[in-house]
Amino acid sequence: GSLVQSNPFRLQADCVVVGASFAGLACATVLARAGLRVTVLERKADPGEKLHTTGIIVKDAIDQIALLDGLPAELVHRIDGVRLYAPNLRYVDLAAPGYYFLATDTPEVMRWLAAQAERAGASIVYQKSFGEAKRTQSGFDFGDLGTARFLVGADGPNSQVAKTFALGQSTNFLFGLEYEYENAQIAEPEKLHCFIDRRLAPGYIAWVVAGVGVVQVGLARRVRGDQSTAT
């Protein structure tokens, strides 16, 4: 005879959120706190691994997202102003009363957000990618995974959810890299140091910022259409 194993994971949720991203986890937490059955699908094994962000949170987000009120102090470093450099390294300091950024220990912030979502009652399924889904009269059918009433695509600028349902897609991108230096120090650590250079960073900036336990040094430039290389 043969043994047929049924799928141990079968969705019957009010909402499926694709991507344990900042937006995805914030959305899942709010929905779960409102009493909905929420499942988050995340292709990675850890929400803090292989991140593609500097992890800076602007004050506008802090003011508008109540979830961030509980962000542990040891995961952030307050940045009160910007020092803007010209190619010859002359600079001007920019600041606004009461305005600030938060540099973060981004992997730990993502893990903290995931814990908040689970504490609120959301279920996070790791190493589970979004494959396909079809609209039904009552919501969405995920095939072997089951069904849900609502679907939220929080799976990044190359969203598979957006492609599957022919939604709007991003066409302009920033191509960049960042390196973190441990046990390093910089002058004026309370400032975000930004460098404007049309040759090295056309359409965007390079930056140096004192993060949490590291100094982050990065550069990004605008990439349009199918252009995918930078020199």
Side-chain angles (χ1 to χ4, degrees), residues 140-214:
F140 296 87
D141 186 338
F142 298 88
D144 290 342
L145 292 183
T147 61
R149 292 173 57 202
F150 301 100
L151 171 63
V152 175
D155 51 339
N158 287 310
S159 169
Q160 187 60 43
V161 173
K163 292 177 182 177
T164 297
F165 294 101
L167 304 176
Q169 297 182 41
S170 302
T171 56
N172 294 332
F173 297 90
L174 292 174
F175 180 89
L177 55 86
E178 183 181 75
Y179 192 84
E180 295 182 347
Y181 294 88
E182 295 183 358
N183 302 316
Q185 295 182 345
I186 59 173
E188 302 289 342
E190 311 308 318
K191 290 183 172 64
L192 172 62
H193 298 262
C194 298
F195 301 82
I196 296 177
D197 190 308
R198 288 191 299 176
R199 183 178 64 87
L200 295 176
Y204 204 61
I205 59 171
W207 62 89
V208 177
V209 62
V212 180
V214 298

Side-chain angles (χ1 to χ4, degrees), residues 3-231:
L3 176 65
V4 179
Q5 182 177 5
S6 62
N7 186 354
F9 174 69
R10 179 86 182 162
L11 280 170
Q12 285 185 328
D14 293 311
C15 183
V16 166
V17 177
V18 178
S21 58
F22 184 97
L25 292 170
C27 177
T29 302
V30 171
L31 293 176
R33 286 178 177 175
L36 275 69
R37 298 168 300 167
V38 183
T39 298
V40 180
L41 303 182
E42 171 54 50
R43 61 181 177 81
K44 297 182 296 187
D46 172 7
E49 73 177 16
K50 296 181 180 179
L51 299 174
H52 300 283
T53 174
T54 60
I56 291 177
I57 304 176
V58 298
K59 184 177 184 295
D60 310 76
I62 300 164
D63 290 343
Q64 295 174 22
I65 302 175
L67 175 62
L68 295 176
D69 292 343
L71 195 59
E74 65 270 18
L75 300 185
V76 301
H77 174 226
R78 178 167 167 148
I79 305 294
D80 290 310
V82 173
R83 177 163 287 182
L84 189 62
Y85 296 82
N88 62 8
L89 297 186
R90 291 184 179 180
Y91 62 82
V92 59
D93 287 336
L94 306 173
Y99 197 83
Y100 62 92
F101 309 92
L102 290 180
T104 67
D105 180 342
T106 315
E108 289 303 319
V109 167
M110 299 310 300
R111 294 173 184 126
W112 179 82
L113 286 170
Q116 299 309 301
E118 291 181 314
R119 188 170 293 118
S123 173
I124 305 177
V125 182
Y126 293 104
Q127 295 181 299
K128 180 69 69 173
S129 297
F130 172 79
E132 60 181 20
K134 295 180 180 179
R135 293 184 186 271
T136 66
Q137 187 173 359
S138 59
F140 296 87
D141 186 338
F142 298 88
D144 290 342
L145 292 183
T147 61
R149 292 173 57 202
F150 301 100
L151 171 63
V152 175
D155 51 339
N158 287 310
S159 169
Q160 187 60 43
V161 173
K163 292 177 182 177
T164 297
F165 294 101
L167 304 176
Q169 297 182 41
S170 302
T171 56
N172 294 332
F173 297 90
L174 292 174
F175 180 89
L177 55 86
E178 183 181 75
Y179 192 84
E180 295 182 347
Y181 294 88
E182 295 183 358
N183 302 316
Q185 295 182 345
I186 59 173
E188 302 289 342
E190 311 308 318
K191 290 183 172 64
L192 172 62
H193 298 262
C194 298
F195 301 82
I196 296 177
D197 190 308
R198 288 191 299 176
R199 183 178 64 87
L200 295 176
Y204 204 61
I205 59 171
W207 62 89
V208 177
V209 62
V212 180
V214 298
V215 169
Q216 299 167 230
V217 179
L219 179 147
R221 57 183 294 166
R222 192 162 298 282
V223 178
R224 299 184 183 277
D226 58 1
Q227 181 183 355
S228 59
T229 58
T231 57

